[in-house]
Amino acid sequence: MKKVALLSSLLVAGALVGTAQAAVAKDTLVVQWSSDVPTLDPSATYDTASGAIVENLYETLVTYKGASIRELEPLLATKWTISNGGRTYTFDLRKNVKFHSGNTMTCADAEYSFERNLVTNAAESGNWFIAESLLGTGSNANDDKSITWAKIDKAVECNRAGQLVFTLPKVDPAFLSKLAYAGQSIVDRQHAIRIGEWKGTEADWRNWIGKDLQGSNLSKQPSGTGAYRLVRRDANAILAQAFDGYWGKKPAIKNVIIQRVPELAARQQAFLRGDADLIEAGGRANIEEQLKGKPGVVIVDGLPNTVASAFFMNQNIKDASRLGSGKLDGRGIPANFFSDVNVRRAFAYSFNYAQYIRDVQNGKGKQRTMLLPDSFPGYDAKIKTYTYDPKQAEAYFKRAWGGNVWRNGFTLNVAYRAGSVPAQTAMEILKKNIEALNPKFRINIQPKEWSAMLNDSKAGKEPMIIIGWAPDYADPDNFMYTFYSSNGYYFPRSNWKDAQVDKWLEQARETTNTATRNRLYSLVGQRAYEQSPYILIPAGVGIIAHRDNLLGVSARTYNPMISFSDTGTLWRDLSKK
């Protein structure tokens, strides 16, 4: 009843007619997720929950063409040219495009958007990879003193013809793909400045360096050019409506309601009643066992999976409250517990990969050899994988920390994303198997809000987390550097460093020769198997459940680079019969 009441109040607040019954109307899409949405500011968007909303409120210069993850087409740009040996990109921008505020988009908005990303470039954001392209470093000006306002200003400019011009310090073959990421969306400059965001000038740029924009004023009051505008947002729901001033084709779905419903059973019941069109369904096993074959339900199966997921074993835990006693005395762990490779290997041998594939993925999963989608260049299927082997796990635990782990035991306190059945199941499998090895071993698991987990893990506070990576752009570097480099985005979550791996990854960035890059990535994968910095979670085969009156979700149109509810499509491309 509470959820229905909330839905009704949202509909009234959004000036819609009717009660909760309007939620299943032909012009309304209702989606239920387990997690919260950390931000609606493109500059701070770096998780799939936020991206799924932002990509519908905002737009980028270019986008992926149809279902392709390699072919790009114009969106807010109309065309572009590449010159200066591949270091200068010049974009013609679409005219007569309106922001949700009513302001007309100009080149100044695009310049402001990218300069804002380069100026702030907070640790929580994905702006490091656009900064690498435009400034030659993924750091912000606080961390790299070579970055000046003049350098940022020169990197992206509007010329006299009103074209947007990027000047790169060196060639980057992935640059265009990077521009398709939702975090590089064009924001409303006048609106942003009016509500208190960066003024876009040299005068105050230093005040914004590295600033976390997750809870920014722009997150609270977004103004994009997308087909939908935000009407209302609270802790449990988001209401968006089709934007009447949208420059493109008018969407058939007029109202989109995203509800936060932590309980899987409640989401499933709402879905089967027809009160929700799409839900976070809890993985393949739940879809096939609870939803498949039920009246009004359509299953789309066999979809590509371009997400890589793993248990992170943090080798430098920066939160004493999570360490228990802080010693190897059976009542806690030291902050560097996972720095011993024997501990990491023991954990890797303790996870039952086949059980996870069976219980979570209903037998339709695959163990990967490295944290890279097997459809990407650079993937090496010949690298060994870990298997569930209690004897090997015991042997490595007995070697760990000079035998003290086995003699004294340990207590490990870990969290998983609240509402995520796959993550909870994975943690429970690992807990059961490790505790069965030695009565002195204890793993305490508990749910935690997604936004809090993201922030705490980024700060190195989580001893162990399960987290995945969806590609920002279609290149193996986006996965391999992210997971395995000590300069990569995920390094603070694992604190694993290998000098040779760092060298190989830098070499792979310096060549466009595919064979050379593939060889280097194979070397990284092999070293990672030996050092076991992560426990690789099997990759599932993509599957979606949706109500049978919802049109536009299909394997033919599915694009894995789109974040929204795993549908591979935007709200504007959906309709109902």
Side-chain angles (χ1 to χ4, degrees):
M1 289 300 294
K2 185 176 180 181
K3 294 179 182 66
V4 173
L6 172 64
L7 177 58
S8 299
S9 66
L10 276 173
L11 292 171
V12 172
L16 299 176
V17 178
T19 65
Q21 292 300 315
V24 294
K26 189 175 181 180
D27 66 352
T28 300
L29 178 72
V30 177
V31 185
Q32 292 185 353
W33 294 341
S34 68
S35 62
D36 58 344
V37 177
T39 187
L40 295 182
D41 187 330
S43 191
T45 295
Y46 211 38
D47 67 283
T48 51
S50 299
I53 309 297
V54 168
E55 67 190 3
N56 287 285
L57 305 182
Y58 286 88
E59 292 176 310
T60 50
L61 295 176
V62 300
T63 190
Y64 293 93
K65 186 175 183 179
S68 174
I69 64 171
R70 302 295 180 88
E71 192 174 357
L72 298 165
E73 64 182 5
L75 188 56
L76 288 181
T78 56
K79 64 178 181 179
W80 62 85
T81 58
I82 305 173
S83 57
N84 189 24
R87 295 194 298 115
T88 300
Y89 289 73
T90 304
F91 288 84
D92 286 13
L93 302 181
R94 194 174 297 279
K95 300 184 184 304
N96 301 317
V97 172
K98 294 288 186 182
F99 286 107
H100 301 159
S101 66
N103 295 329
T104 299
M105 185 193 76
T106 67
C107 185
D109 295 297
E111 180 179 357
Y112 173 84
S113 301
F114 287 99
E115 288 182 347
R116 181 172 182 257
N117 287 353
L118 295 176
V119 166
T120 56
N121 194 11
E124 298 78 14
S125 77
N127 290 317
W128 59 271
F129 64 80
I130 199 69
E132 284 183 340
S133 298
L134 294 174
L135 303 178
T137 173
S139 302
N140 60 45
N142 284 337
D143 299 326
D144 189 332
K145 302 306 179 184
S146 71
I147 300 174
T148 62
W149 168 251
K151 194 171 183 179
I152 291 174
D153 191 40
K154 183 181 178 182
V156 52
E157 297 179 298
C158 293
N159 63 19
R160 292 181 178 179
Q163 296 170 305
L164 186 67
V165 182
F166 294 100
T167 303
L168 283 59
K170 61 181 180 180
V171 173
D172 180 3
F175 181 64
L176 278 174
S177 294
K178 292 178 179 181
L179 297 182
Y181 181 66
Q184 306 307 325
S185 294
I186 307 305
V187 305
D188 186 340
R189 174 180 173 273
Q190 294 181 56
H191 169 77
I193 294 172
R194 181 178 62 79
I195 62 176
E197 296 298 328
W198 175 53
K199 294 179 180 178
T201 66
E202 181 180 6
D204 68 336
W205 82 287
R206 287 203 171 274
N207 297 330
W208 292 84
I209 298 171
K211 190 169 184 178
D212 180 7
L213 300 177
Q214 278 192 353
S216 70
N217 291 333
L218 196 59
S219 175
K220 299 169 186 174
Q221 303 176 58
S223 176
T225 64
Y228 292 84
R229 63 180 183 87
L230 179 70
V231 174
R232 178 177 172 137
R233 178 191 182 192
D234 60 30
N236 293 306
I238 290 174
L239 172 62
Q241 288 183 334
F243 175 42
D244 289 339
Y246 183 56
W247 62 268
K249 182 181 177 182
K250 305 304 179 186
I253 299 292
K254 302 300 181 186
N255 314 298
V256 178
I257 301 170
I258 309 293
Q259 298 174 316
R260 180 171 175 265
V261 181
E263 303 85 7
L264 175 60
R267 297 197 301 270
Q268 290 175 339
Q269 290 166 12
F271 181 70
L272 292 173
R273 288 194 307 265
D275 292 340
D277 301 296
L278 291 162
I279 62 169
E280 182 182 338
R284 173 175 289 276
N286 281 289
I287 290 177
E288 293 190 338
E289 294 168 10
Q290 303 296 326
L291 305 179
K292 189 174 183 179
K294 298 296 176 65
V297 176
V298 171
I299 304 296
V300 182
D301 202 350
L303 300 173
N305 182 351
T306 56
V307 174
S309 302
F311 288 84
F312 283 55
M313 294 177 278
N314 187 358
Q315 297 184 35
N316 184 15
I317 304 160
K318 298 181 176 68
D319 185 353
S321 69
R322 306 294 295 277
L323 301 177
S325 65
K327 302 176 182 179
L328 277 176
D329 56 3
R331 295 181 290 109
I333 57 170
N336 61 345
F337 177 65
F338 286 112
S339 65
D340 188 328
V341 66
N342 294 298
V343 173
R344 302 195 301 270
R345 288 172 177 164
F347 269 72
Y349 277 120
S350 297
F351 186 67
N352 194 326
Y353 306 88
Q355 181 185 351
Y356 183 86
I357 291 173
R358 182 180 69 249
D359 293 352
V360 175
Q361 300 167 337
N362 256 22
K364 296 183 179 178
K366 177 181 180 181
Q367 254 192 281
R368 287 183 179 151
T369 62
M370 52 206 296
L371 286 169
L372 178 69
D374 45 21
S375 59
F376 272 50
Y379 183 82
D380 187 348
K382 296 180 181 179
I383 295 172
K384 293 180 181 178
T385 59
Y386 284 87
T387 58
Y388 173 50
D389 191 329
K391 290 184 178 179
Q392 286 276 39
E394 179 177 333
Y396 280 111
F397 271 129
K398 287 180 176 177
R399 297 177 195 172
W401 290 100
N404 286 327
V405 170
W406 190 261
R407 284 192 295 269
N408 301 333
F410 64 86
T411 297
L412 175 66
N413 301 306
V414 297
Y416 62 89
R417 181 167 70 88
S420 172
V421 174
Q424 179 179 355
T425 303
M427 280 293 189
E428 289 172 346
I429 290 172
L430 188 65
K431 169 184 168 69
K432 179 182 178 181
N433 293 343
I434 287 180
E435 291 182 346
L437 292 171
N438 187 327
K440 297 179 181 179
F441 292 174
R442 179 71 182 174
I443 298 181
N444 300 320
I445 63 175
Q446 63 179 5
K448 189 170 182 176
E449 291 300 328
W450 181 226
S451 55
M453 278 195 70
L454 286 174
N455 290 332
D456 285 351
S457 63
K458 178 64 177 177
K461 295 180 179 181
E462 297 290 346
M464 171 183 277
I465 59 166
I466 293 174
I467 197 168
W469 185 263
D472 303 317
Y473 50 93
D475 189 277
D477 175 80
N478 192 224
F479 283 89
M480 300 298 287
Y481 203 87
T482 298
F483 280 107
Y484 297 117
S485 171
S486 65
N487 294 310
Y489 182 80
Y490 269 165
F491 174 74
R493 291 177 164 92
S494 68
N495 286 286
W496 176 70
K497 182 174 182 177
D498 186 290
Q500 186 60 62
V501 166
D502 284 348
K503 182 179 179 180
W504 288 330
L505 290 170
E506 293 297 340
Q507 289 174 344
R509 284 186 154 191
E510 295 169 0
T511 178
T512 57
N513 185 292
T514 301
T516 300
R517 296 183 83 204
N518 289 350
R519 180 181 60 81
L520 291 166
Y521 290 138
S522 292
L523 290 171
V524 173
Q526 180 59 41
R527 179 63 64 89
Y529 168 76
E530 295 166 358
Q531 293 296 312
S532 188
Y534 305 102
I535 303 172
L536 276 59
I537 292 179
V541 176
I543 185 171
I544 301 170
H546 67 84
R547 296 296 302 180
D548 61 1
N549 63 332
L550 183 65
L551 305 176
V553 182
S554 73
R556 182 178 56 82
T557 60
Y558 179 85
N559 192 311
M561 302 302 291
I562 294 175
S563 295
F564 172 61
S565 257
D566 295 328
T567 64
T569 190
L570 298 173
W571 302 344
R572 70 182 189 208
D573 297 320
L574 298 172
S575 62
K576 283 187 173 181
K577 60 182 178 180

